[in-house]
Amino acid sequence: MSNKGLISCNSRVSKEDQEFYVLKNKAAEYFRSNGVPQKIECILNDMFFDQPDDIYGYLTTGSAVISSHSEDSTDPSDGNNISNDKRRDSVNVALHWIHESLSTILKGSDPCNQTAVDQILCDFFMARFLEYQDVRNRETENQPPGMPVPEPSPSAAHPKDKKGGDKGKKGNSTEKPVPRPEPSEPVLPGSMAIGSVSLAVAKTGAVLQDVPLYKYITVLRNQQPYPKEIRIPVPLVTLLSCGKLSPGKLNLLEEVIVIPKAGQRLKQVITMVLELQKEMTKIINSASKTGPMLTTVSDSGALVVGFERPEQPLDLISEASNTLGLGLGEEIHLALNCAAHNLMDYPKGKYDVITGIPKTPDELVDMYEALISKYPAVVALIDPLRKEDVEQWERLSNAVGASCSLLSDVSKPQVHGSHEDPPSLPGVTGYILNQTNAFTVTDLIRVATEHKGAVIIGTTSGEPCSDDSLSDMVVGLGVGYVKLGGLGRGERLTKYNRLISIEEELAQQGILDSRQQHTSPLFVGGTDKQSST
């Protein structure tokens, strides 16, 4: 006989105990369905192998963790082991800073004075960064003279070259030399501690003032009491991933993103995207000769599908939208995250847009122009070219700028405290900014305020954390759009669910700004535009 049967028929069990038992079962089922036991097991396994000195610090850092960037490796043979080792080392350094240095220098600080705390964190970071840079410079000076600088191999541009490509061609076939990439800024190991502590301080300030984090950030941003209305940013939802790690020949479209019509409630948007995904899967499966498609989900939480040409994913979305009666170009628009900086084959001087069909920067501009002309629902291109191809950025802006916005992902770490503007590129109307490494809450407020209406807050592609603070941050910062990825991974859904909760809370309080029409230069292709107020 089950426990459930015993409880339901035992009159000596109180009503409160029965309700508590039912609640426990619901909680257990919720945790099981979301894979929580497995995730906790992974954390405990990693902790056992890492053997951190501060066990509780290791566990609690995740409550206010942010994404981090590590230096990229150009050697494809490195695999993931080196990056994982670097990340583990960086986490350990961050934990040491939090437990030792930062806890000492922040002792006695007022957690409600975010600006002062972040300035202390900035000074600490800059001191460590200068020391780290000095060590790197000495190591470079001590290298034996005449050591050759390794060129990126063709296979480093994309792993699909192993399947084929321009076989038999001489390595000397470069038609036109391309500008070399600027050296990447060194990432200080442990720098994630700066952003994490800043966020933890903001959370503490919100708790002390007994307000939700999003309202606390709103007050920090405005330097005045709560506004009469607070708006939820429009979510940019990643629908498909067709980049260089997908199974097809197409390498170009790292993400195909849905931009919903402004003014809709979040539940309505998410339901619409889920229905669109379901219809797309149905179309793919019905066309498949090998049976149902295996659904693979990318790090960004989107469905991974292999295509041969960039038109195919757009045709798929068009067909699914028409079947559902969704007005593509009216109710929803599209953005394409091209991530072109990952596709340059430097020996050839061309972008590996499609395996075996490389394109020069000028040819790539021509391809974008043809795509935008054929698919007017595409109203934004993210990183369509490397930042070094300035001439082609200008050409592209002149060709499509009247109907399609050009956006740049500036999530790579910047030297903290420099207060530099995002890199200026011809025709770029907006930036995607992630809170990574040494970005403090004060930094995010400053950037969102100075570049009002032109900043999208987003997550990194391999977002490791299920913390939902980013949802509070984007509401508090007053940005018009947020890029959280797809609907296929728990760490993404946690953030979407938090946004829904905030929206419902604001609606209940009568302070939800649900205006559909706003003014912003961010998207110029006919979407309901949105501003940051």
Side-chain angles (χ1 to χ4, degrees):
M1 183 179 297
S2 68
N3 290 336
K4 184 176 180 180
L6 281 171
I7 287 182
S8 61
C9 66
N10 191 339
S11 60
R12 291 178 294 178
V13 178
S14 67
K15 181 181 179 181
E16 290 78 8
D17 287 341
Q18 292 186 37
E19 290 176 348
F20 182 64
Y21 174 82
V22 172
L23 183 63
K24 284 200 301 182
N25 275 277
K26 287 182 178 179
E29 178 57 32
Y30 170 79
F31 291 137
R32 279 195 298 269
S33 63
N34 286 281
V36 173
Q38 293 86 348
K39 290 180 181 178
I40 291 178
E41 183 179 2
C42 290
I43 292 172
L44 294 177
N45 287 338
D46 288 343
M47 185 172 69
F48 173 76
F49 287 109
D50 291 344
Q51 297 284 306
D53 295 330
D54 181 10
I55 293 177
Y56 299 105
Y58 188 98
L59 291 173
T60 57
T61 300
S63 66
V65 74
I66 60 169
S67 302
S68 64
H69 279 292
S70 58
E71 294 173 83
D72 299 326
S73 169
T74 57
D75 186 357
S77 64
D78 287 347
N80 291 324
N81 291 332
I82 289 181
S83 60
N84 288 340
D85 289 343
K86 283 184 177 180
R87 179 173 177 80
R88 184 180 295 109
D89 292 343
S90 184
V91 169
N92 286 333
V93 172
L95 289 171
H96 176 73
W97 284 358
I98 293 171
H99 183 67
E100 299 290 341
S101 306
L102 293 177
S103 62
T104 300
I105 63 176
L106 290 174
K107 188 175 182 180
S109 298
D110 180 3
C112 294
N113 190 343
Q114 188 74 39
T115 304
V117 171
D118 285 345
Q119 185 59 53
I120 294 173
L121 293 172
C122 168
D123 294 341
F124 174 85
F125 172 81
M126 285 304 298
R128 296 300 180 276
F129 182 83
L130 292 175
E131 291 172 0
Y132 179 67
Q133 200 170 42
D134 184 54
V135 170
R136 285 173 59 95
N137 290 338
R138 287 201 303 269
E139 290 175 350
T140 302
E141 291 170 0
N142 292 333
Q143 282 186 350
M147 285 190 67
V149 178
E151 295 284 342
S153 66
S155 58
H158 63 81
K160 298 178 190 177
D161 268 344
K162 297 177 182 178
K163 297 188 292 186
D166 300 331
K167 293 183 178 179
K169 289 190 178 181
K170 303 285 184 183
N172 219 1
S173 60
T174 303
E175 297 178 0
K176 180 181 178 181
V178 297
R180 302 297 299 175
E182 296 178 8
S184 59
E185 185 178 286
V187 179
L188 176 62
S191 57
M192 68 180 71
I194 305 303
S196 296
V197 170
S198 177
L199 179 57
V201 170
K203 287 183 172 183
T204 303
V207 170
L208 290 175
Q209 296 193 9
D210 195 26
V211 294
L213 180 60
Y214 68 88
K215 286 188 176 180
Y216 185 75
I217 299 297
T218 301
V219 173
L220 288 179
R221 175 173 63 92
N222 294 326
Q223 295 297 309
Q224 59 186 19
Y226 309 127
K228 294 180 179 179
E229 290 184 319
I230 297 177
R231 187 178 65 252
I232 298 293
V234 175
L236 308 185
V237 187
T238 306
L239 196 60
L240 288 171
S241 179
C242 330
K244 62 182 182 180
L245 297 180
S246 64
K249 290 185 178 181
L250 179 64
N251 303 312
L252 180 63
L253 303 184
E254 184 75 21
E255 295 177 287
V256 181
I257 301 167
V258 170
I259 307 174
K261 184 178 180 180
Q264 301 179 82
R265 297 291 290 268
L266 276 169
K267 280 187 177 180
Q268 182 182 354
V269 170
I270 290 175
T271 299
M272 175 191 67
V273 174
L274 289 173
E275 289 177 351
L276 189 57
Q277 285 182 335
K278 184 178 178 180
E279 184 61 33
M280 288 164 50
T281 303
K282 188 187 300 183
I283 293 171
I284 295 173
N285 287 339
S286 64
S288 175
K289 298 178 180 179
T290 58
M293 179 189 67
L294 293 176
T295 54
T296 305
V297 176
S298 68
D299 285 342
S300 65
L303 192 66
V304 178
V305 184
F307 294 102
E308 308 301 303
R309 296 177 290 105
E311 294 84 0
Q312 290 175 318
L314 302 179
D315 288 338
L316 172 64
I317 296 172
S318 297
E319 182 180 350
S321 299
N322 290 335
T323 302
L324 295 173
L326 288 173
L328 188 60
E330 297 175 2
E331 294 180 68
I332 59 174
H333 290 77
L334 300 176
L336 306 180
N337 183 5
C338 307
H341 52 278
N342 293 326
L343 301 179
M344 175 55 72
D345 188 334
Y346 286 97
K348 296 177 183 176
K350 295 183 178 182
Y351 289 97
D352 276 302
V353 175
I354 301 170
T355 302
I357 311 178
K359 293 186 179 295
T360 65
D362 285 318
E363 290 171 340
L364 186 55
V365 170
D366 294 338
M367 191 196 75
Y368 287 135
E369 187 175 1
L371 271 180
I372 301 304
S373 175
K374 185 176 180 180
Y375 302 94
V378 177
V379 297
L381 297 176
I382 303 170
D383 287 342
L385 297 154
R386 301 178 313 133
K387 63 181 180 179
E388 291 82 8
D389 294 325
V390 177
E391 180 183 337
Q392 285 73 27
W393 276 94
E394 188 166 2
R395 268 197 64 212
L396 182 60
S397 174
N398 293 335
V400 305
S403 61
C404 181
S405 298
L406 304 183
L407 308 179
S408 176
D409 188 333
V410 292
S411 60
K412 290 294 184 182
Q414 302 289 321
V415 174
H416 186 83
S418 63
H419 297 309
E420 294 179 355
D421 288 336
S424 177
L425 291 167
V428 169
T429 58
Y431 302 92
I432 297 175
L433 177 68
N434 303 327
Q435 187 191 16
T436 58
N437 295 311
F439 253 107
T440 64
V441 171
T442 300
D443 290 327
L444 288 174
I445 292 173
R446 179 185 61 81
V447 174
T449 302
E450 292 179 359
H451 300 276
K452 200 171 186 177
V455 172
I456 299 171
I457 302 296
T459 60
T460 55
S461 60
E463 177 67 35
C465 177
S466 295
D467 180 64
D468 59 9
S469 302
L470 181 64
S471 300
D472 285 75
M473 290 292 297
V474 296
V475 175
L477 290 171
V479 295
Y481 296 87
V482 60
K483 180 176 175 289
L484 297 177
L487 302 175
R489 296 181 68 92
E491 62 270 21
R492 309 282 174 176
L493 290 175
T494 299
K495 296 172 178 60
Y496 281 112
N497 288 336
R498 175 57 184 157
L499 273 180
I500 291 174
S501 298
I502 295 173
E503 183 180 60
E504 292 175 344
E505 183 177 318
L506 293 175
Q508 289 171 0
Q509 296 173 3
I511 57 174
L512 175 64
D513 181 357
S514 57
R515 292 174 296 165
Q516 292 195 15
Q517 298 295 331
H518 303 282
T519 57
S520 168
L522 195 53
F523 294 115
V524 296
T527 61
D528 283 332
K529 297 170 187 178
Q530 191 126 331
S531 70
S532 298
T533 57

